[in-house]
């Protein structure tokens, strides 16, 4: 349902098919009621009087009145631009639709990343550090990153073994 459009007929409080005499009588009545000289304490009296005079200027001229009526017809025949659209998923499977359910995908991905990060931090702080042991059962551990140690040069002489 299209909400009613406020018109100059509403300002003068007359029907849309009112004769010019009825429009003039309504204008005179409202002009006397809202005249700024009669309401000196009311700051809106001059605005109300301006709206009343503008409505009477349009509705008293037959060409302007016909133009105003065409504008009303166009405004009432036009569909409302603010019709509510139901974007909430109706079912669980509707929530999994990537077009309408993207906030859920974003939420789940963020939670998975946060839980993975926290879990890794807890694991690394709870477990002792694994350093290479010098007394491993198969001898000292040599890492690939360690350079092989060179034998000391003796110039072909055999050094005595220390006792």
């Amino acid at each position: 349902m299209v909400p009613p459009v406020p018109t100059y007929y509403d300002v003068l409080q007359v029907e849309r098919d009112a004769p010019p005499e009825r429009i003039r009588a309504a204008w005179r009545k409202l002009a006397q009621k809202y005249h700024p000289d009669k309401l000196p304490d009311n700051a809106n009296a001059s605005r109300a009087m301006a709206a009343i005079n503008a409505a009477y200027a349009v509705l008293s001229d037959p060409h302007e009145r016909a133009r105003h009526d065409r504008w009303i017809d166009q405004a009432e025949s036009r569909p409302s631009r603010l019709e509510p659209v139901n974007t909430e998923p109706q079912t669980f499977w509707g929530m999994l639709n990537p077009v309408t359910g993207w906030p859920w995908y974003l939420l789940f991905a963020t939670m998975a990343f946060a839980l993975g990060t926290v879990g890794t931090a807890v694991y690394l702080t709870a477990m002792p550090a694994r350093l290479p042991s010098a007394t491993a059962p198969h001898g000292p551990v040599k890492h690939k990153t360690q350079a092989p140690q060179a034998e000391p040069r003796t110039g072909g002489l055999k050094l005595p073994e220390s006792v």
Side-chain angles (χ1 to χ4, degrees):
M1 169 114 189
V2 177
V5 178
T7 64
Y8 287 136
Y9 295 107
D10 297 331
V11 173
L12 292 181
Q13 301 171 359
V14 295
E15 299 79 26
R16 192 165 169 188
D17 59 349
E21 297 83 25
R22 171 80 177 102
I23 291 173
R24 181 171 171 80
W27 171 70
R28 288 181 63 112
K29 178 182 169 190
L30 292 172
Q32 288 177 356
K33 182 177 179 181
Y34 292 105
H35 198 277
D37 292 343
K38 289 193 174 188
L39 300 170
D41 297 335
N42 192 345
N44 292 327
S46 60
R47 273 195 272 170
M49 193 65 194
I52 292 166
N53 286 334
Y56 180 69
V58 169
L59 296 181
S60 63
D61 182 16
H63 295 293
E64 289 294 318
R65 184 175 180 179
R67 189 170 151 219
H68 184 61
D69 289 341
R70 282 193 305 274
W71 176 80
I72 294 171
D73 292 337
Q74 287 177 352
E76 288 177 348
S77 66
R78 194 175 2 186
S80 175
R81 294 182 190 165
L82 301 176
E83 293 180 14
V85 178
N86 186 7
T87 58
E88 294 296 321
Q90 299 299 322
T91 64
F92 176 73
W93 298 113
M95 183 178 69
L96 296 179
N97 182 359
V99 175
T100 58
W102 67 266
W104 293 106
Y105 284 100
L106 183 63
L107 176 70
F108 292 144
T110 305
M111 287 176 50
F113 180 75
L115 287 174
T117 304
V118 169
T120 302
V122 168
Y123 174 77
L124 291 177
T125 56
M127 297 298 294
R130 294 184 184 180
L131 298 176
S133 173
T135 59
H138 50 73
V141 177
K142 292 185 181 180
H143 293 286
K144 292 181 181 179
T145 58
Q146 291 179 344
Q149 296 188 0
E151 296 292 327
R153 293 190 166 214
T154 61
L157 298 174
K158 290 211 170 216
L159 297 175
E161 296 272 334
S162 54
V163 181

